[in-house]
Amino acid sequence: MADTPRVIGVLTAGGDCPGLNAVIRAVTTRASSVNDAEVVGILNGWEGLMEGDTMPLDRDAVRGILTRGGTILGTSRMDPYVHGEGYKSVENTIRRNGIEALIVIGGDGTLRSALALAKEGLPVVGVPKTIDNDINGTDITFGFDTAVQIATDAIDRLASTAEAHNRVIVVEVMGRTKGWIAAYAGIAGGADSILIPERPYDLDEVAGIIRARHRHGKSYSIVVVAEGVEPPAGVEVELKKDAFGFARLGGVGYAIADHIETLTGFETRVSVLGHIQRGGSPTAFDRVLATRLGVAAADYALEGRTGVMAAVRSMEILPIPMEEACAEIRGVTPDIYDTAATFFS
Ligand code: F6P
């Protein structure tokens, strides 16, 4: 453990996620107005730490942001270990602002870099963030509940128009390497099939389910697809890259829909939900979770802990080693998929 820090930096990195502002508000309020520490907001994720872009944060600066989507600090996918030279690329900003501990709110890539910085000697505390819900060591990440609610609302609406027109609708949701949003929104929306990256799929089987539904009197079907699934065999989906070299996913649902239409003969449409799942106000559940994680992270930093992440275990918040969070990307558990698959008929 390090000494009690008087100046704490906070940054949000990677894709944004409903609840980020709730964490920033909680970290700032707990550290500054309760414990009298200074809080430095770092702008645009790691980029701000590399370039020296910061803003002061205090209780007044974070009033009114609890319910707002996005992040008042901005975010980016720049990374000091991918695009820079690790600690060397951030040490100027750390020194100039007198930052003695850093709270990093991010997904698996961000947390890996946070751990690397902790190993280089900077006291770092992590807060797991992603709508994808795929961070190891925590039961859930904030933002996931909001994304599932948005996707479920969309499925409900798509089901009614699918039924009116006797169509199959493929709903593509986010989920880069893991299919948590697809699985949960699929269960909540009563999907007839769910395709996730963790499990190989067979479109003949999906077509069989759809044909059977039609024989049994339901002439519409909803197929939920996570954006990160492999395209059907023989199909190439060309992916553009973002400014930091990461693949921009989205669109695999079109190739899957074409195959389903060919195999079943039923008109098949596609709806790609995309960034709507990440935008806007967090649900009450996510506001509470993000607030609890932010308060805990501030406490860990003020206690001089480093290399730990605030995690949720059986609804309790506790510090776990960041190594555990970075050990693997957490996939949908077999019991969840099995529950969903019970209704594929
Ligand atoms: O990691 C969260 C996430 O929303 C993924 O589900 C998605 O693939 C990715 O971010 C999209 O990121 P971007 O907006 O940078 O393209």
Side-chain angles (χ1 to χ4, degrees):
M1 287 206 197
D3 293 337
T4 303
R6 298 317 310 157
V7 183
I8 295 178
V10 57
L11 65 82
T12 54
D16 74 328
C17 173
L20 282 170
N21 283 324
V23 182
I24 296 166
R25 169 180 174 268
V27 164
T28 303
T29 306
R30 186 70 156 199
S32 66
S33 67
V34 180
N35 288 288
D36 213 25
E38 195 184 315
V39 181
V40 177
I42 292 139
L43 302 181
N44 304 318
W46 295 116
E47 190 174 345
L49 206 58
M50 294 164 79
E51 317 262 313
D53 296 330
T54 62
M55 69 184 273
L57 289 177
D58 59 16
R59 180 75 186 101
D60 287 341
V62 298
R63 285 189 203 281
I65 66 169
L66 170 66
T67 62
R68 277 170 57 189
T71 157
I72 60 162
L73 294 176
T75 185
S76 74
R77 292 199 187 273
M78 188 175 268
D79 185 301
Y81 289 90
V82 178
H83 309 100
E85 294 172 77
Y87 185 69
K88 254 199 206 158
S89 11
V90 302
E91 70 178 331
N92 267 348
T93 311
I94 299 286
R95 203 175 326 110
R96 200 153 3 96
N97 289 278
I99 293 171
E100 294 169 343
L102 184 66
I103 294 180
V104 172
I105 311 165
D108 59 296
T110 304
L111 291 169
R112 255 191 302 279
S113 298
L115 176 59
L117 279 181
K119 286 185 173 160
E120 290 202 58
L122 179 70
V124 181
V125 169
V127 178
K129 167 247 51 160
T130 171
I131 63 165
D132 290 355
N133 196 39
D134 58 2
I135 296 180
N136 199 47
T138 185
D139 294 346
I140 190 165
T141 54
F142 71 86
F144 173 62
D145 184 67
T146 306
V148 168
Q149 190 58 57
I150 293 168
T152 303
D153 289 346
I155 292 170
D156 289 350
R157 288 171 188 278
L158 291 166
S160 71
T161 174
E163 182 169 26
H165 287 268
N166 301 326
R167 287 171 173 156
V168 177
I169 296 190
V170 171
V171 188
E172 185 184 303
V173 299
M174 279 188 166
R176 204 170 185 81
T177 56
K178 304 296 173 193
W180 285 99
I181 299 175
Y184 266 59
I187 292 172
D192 305 302
S193 185
I194 301 173
L195 310 186
I196 60 174
E198 296 88 319
R199 301 177 74 98
Y201 63 85
D202 176 353
L203 287 182
D204 287 318
E205 210 175 277
V206 176
I209 292 167
I210 293 169
R211 275 193 233 99
R213 276 174 59 76
H214 284 231
R215 274 198 308 276
H216 293 108
K218 280 291 174 207
S219 54
Y220 76 100
S221 295
I222 295 291
V223 178
V224 178
V225 173
E227 64 178 0
V229 299
E230 290 293 322
V235 176
E236 285 279 316
V237 174
E238 206 169 312
L239 295 175
K240 289 187 186 165
K241 297 250 166 93
D242 72 9
F244 304 101
F246 296 102
R248 282 160 52 173
L249 299 186
V252 70
Y254 288 98
I256 289 169
D258 276 352
H259 276 60
I260 291 176
E261 188 166 88
T262 305
L263 289 169
T264 61
F266 300 129
E267 185 178 348
T268 305
R269 299 292 188 95
V270 185
S271 192
V272 178
L273 301 188
H275 291 86
I276 195 165
Q277 295 160 96
R278 273 194 355 213
S281 189
T283 58
F285 179 88
D286 278 335
R287 292 179 201 183
V288 174
L289 178 58
T291 300
R292 292 181 71 202
L293 289 167
V295 164
D299 287 349
Y300 302 156
L302 290 162
E303 286 160 12
R305 290 179 192 265
T306 180
V308 296
M309 181 186 87
V312 185
R313 296 270 175 86
S314 307
M315 291 319 283
E316 294 295 317
I317 310 285
L318 74 175
I320 65 159
M322 258 188 209
E323 268 98 355
E324 194 179 335
C326 299
E328 60 173 324
I329 302 179
R330 193 174 67 105
V332 172
T333 48
D335 65 307
I336 294 291
Y337 194 81
D338 180 57
T339 299
T342 303
F343 303 94
F344 298 171
S345 59

